[in-house]
Amino acid sequence: MDYSEIKSRLRGSITPVITPFKADGAIDFEKMSELIEFQLANGTHGISVTGTSGEPSSLTLEEREQVMEHSFKTINGRVPFVPGTGSTNHDETMRLTKKAEQIGADAAMVIVPYYNKPNQHALYKHFKTVADSVEIPIIIYNIPGRTAQNLHVDTLAQLTKDCPNIIGVKESNKDFEHVNRVLQRCGRDFLLFSGIELLCYPMLAIGGAGSVSATANVLPGKVAEMHDAWFDGDIERAQKLHYELMELNDVLFKDTNPAPVKAALGMMGKIEPHLRLPMDVPSRELQEEIRATLNKYDIALQYV
């Protein structure tokens, strides 16, 4: 199967949309649709759901499938759709990835299993088994800070050699030498996405395809504009936007994602800022800092 067409479309800002909850803990699908429309109206280049920002470990398998189906229908082909389908459980990952293929997602984002810390050989077997079970393109999600295990470049390179549908990686890896080696070993046409907000621009500079940035939930237009400027060759504008976004990036990661993002979206009147335990909203002090930062960006707030 030729994956060149989807590789050409999977570029820029792919927003990892949060999962909105009602006060009783139920998923708010109406707000989910509104959040996706907010993203598309502000130039976002792609949508992801049920990744780290979507609180996947707080959702049942059935709920993850419902969020994927609902989001796919809402997007209706307007931008690429890349749901997160990974889990700490191999069989769950297989089920969710096959579901993404079944509903027509453009690709599936599969995280390095968290908590159980498989070795490199086990990671290879896990990802190869998942990739071999589907034809849908796979983007591996490497986030050592959440999973307590780093997918080595050698392992990723072997996977890309053995599995044609593994077309990219989201690297939430602060080791910039590591991400340079990814493109060196996997090929310059391999899709490298940044999952670290302060590395979104630097990764573009080394040949990255874009970013999957939680900040885009709050300020999608600016994040998309930074990518557009880069791809248009306006390096000065892209660099300016990189530094312009830095303060917002910083405050949104002073507590565990997506708690600050949900607090910000609540202040903006986009959602009710509920998380499922064991996650919860940020402290009152951090909420005040988030509110002050949003004001600096002239973001309209409904709840002040």
Side-chain angles (χ1 to χ4, degrees):
M1 187 172 178
D2 183 10
Y3 295 99
S4 57
E5 190 273 336
I6 184 57
K7 288 176 76 172
S8 69
R9 290 194 294 117
L10 280 174
R11 302 278 166 169
S13 175
I14 299 177
T15 301
V17 176
I18 58 98
T19 304
F21 297 123
K22 299 178 182 179
D24 63 1
I27 297 171
D28 192 333
F29 286 102
E30 182 178 353
K31 290 295 184 185
M32 189 93 209
S33 295
E34 291 175 5
L35 290 173
I36 290 171
E37 293 298 341
F38 171 60
Q39 290 294 320
L40 299 181
N42 282 277
T44 287
H45 306 110
I47 298 290
S48 181
V49 296
T50 65
T52 302
S53 299
E55 296 173 74
S57 59
S58 296
L59 302 173
T60 66
L61 280 175
E62 291 74 20
E63 286 175 328
R64 290 184 68 172
E65 291 174 337
Q66 291 166 9
V67 170
M68 285 196 292
E69 289 179 326
H70 181 85
S71 301
F72 176 78
K73 291 175 182 176
T74 303
I75 295 164
N76 194 27
R78 288 176 285 176
V79 295
F81 177 50
V82 188
T85 60
S87 166
T88 192
N89 180 287
H90 177 76
D91 288 342
E92 290 179 359
T93 302
M94 295 278 283
R95 170 177 161 175
L96 291 167
T97 306
K98 289 177 180 179
K99 181 67 175 181
E101 180 174 54
Q102 176 192 338
I103 66 175
D106 295 279
M109 190 172 296
V110 184
I111 194 171
V112 170
Y114 38 92
Y115 179 72
N116 45 26
K117 294 180 67 175
N119 62 33
Q120 296 300 305
H121 175 66
L123 286 173
Y124 173 87
K125 289 177 67 176
H126 169 69
F127 284 115
K128 187 173 190 305
T129 304
V130 172
D132 286 349
S133 72
V134 293
E135 291 190 354
I136 189 173
I138 301 293
I139 296 173
I140 292 176
Y141 179 13
N142 188 32
I143 178 167
R146 289 270 194 167
T147 64
Q149 181 63 289
N150 183 41
L151 182 67
H152 295 175
V153 174
D154 287 347
T155 308
L156 181 59
Q158 190 63 50
L159 282 165
T160 60
K161 178 181 178 182
D162 297 342
C163 306
N165 59 330
I166 295 179
I167 64 169
V169 65
K170 174 187 174 182
E171 283 284 357
S172 293
N173 196 323
K174 293 183 178 180
D175 183 350
F176 203 60
E177 180 177 346
H178 171 98
V179 297
N180 275 269
R181 298 292 183 193
V182 166
L183 290 181
Q184 180 192 37
R185 294 291 308 283
C186 298
R188 298 285 297 281
D189 63 337
F190 192 65
L191 301 183
L192 172 66
F193 293 94
S194 175
I196 298 280
E197 274 60 25
L198 294 188
L199 294 184
C200 292
Y201 173 79
M203 281 202 199
L204 290 172
I206 65 169
S211 69
V212 186
S213 166
T215 301
N217 278 282
V218 176
L219 205 57
K222 288 288 186 183
V223 178
E225 185 184 351
M226 184 188 74
H227 291 80
D228 288 336
W230 174 264
F231 291 125
D232 288 343
D234 191 346
I235 296 173
E236 184 177 350
R237 177 65 176 157
Q239 190 178 81
K240 179 179 181 295
L241 287 162
H242 164 70
Y243 285 106
E244 186 177 320
L245 285 163
M246 195 171 290
E247 186 174 357
L248 182 61
N249 288 331
D250 287 344
V251 78
L252 292 179
F253 283 86
K254 287 194 172 183
D255 194 358
T256 304
N257 180 48
V261 167
K262 281 196 161 183
L265 289 172
M267 295 171 197
M268 295 163 64
K270 300 292 184 185
I271 63 167
E272 296 179 50
H274 301 299
L275 295 91
R276 286 181 177 174
L277 293 172
M279 298 289 287
D280 201 2
V281 294
S283 68
R284 185 183 302 273
E285 292 77 14
L286 180 53
Q287 289 189 51
E288 289 303 319
E289 187 176 351
I290 292 168
R291 183 177 290 107
T293 303
L294 296 179
N295 281 323
K296 289 181 182 180
Y297 285 83
D298 294 324
I299 296 172
L301 304 184
Q302 291 192 20
Y303 300 100
V304 296

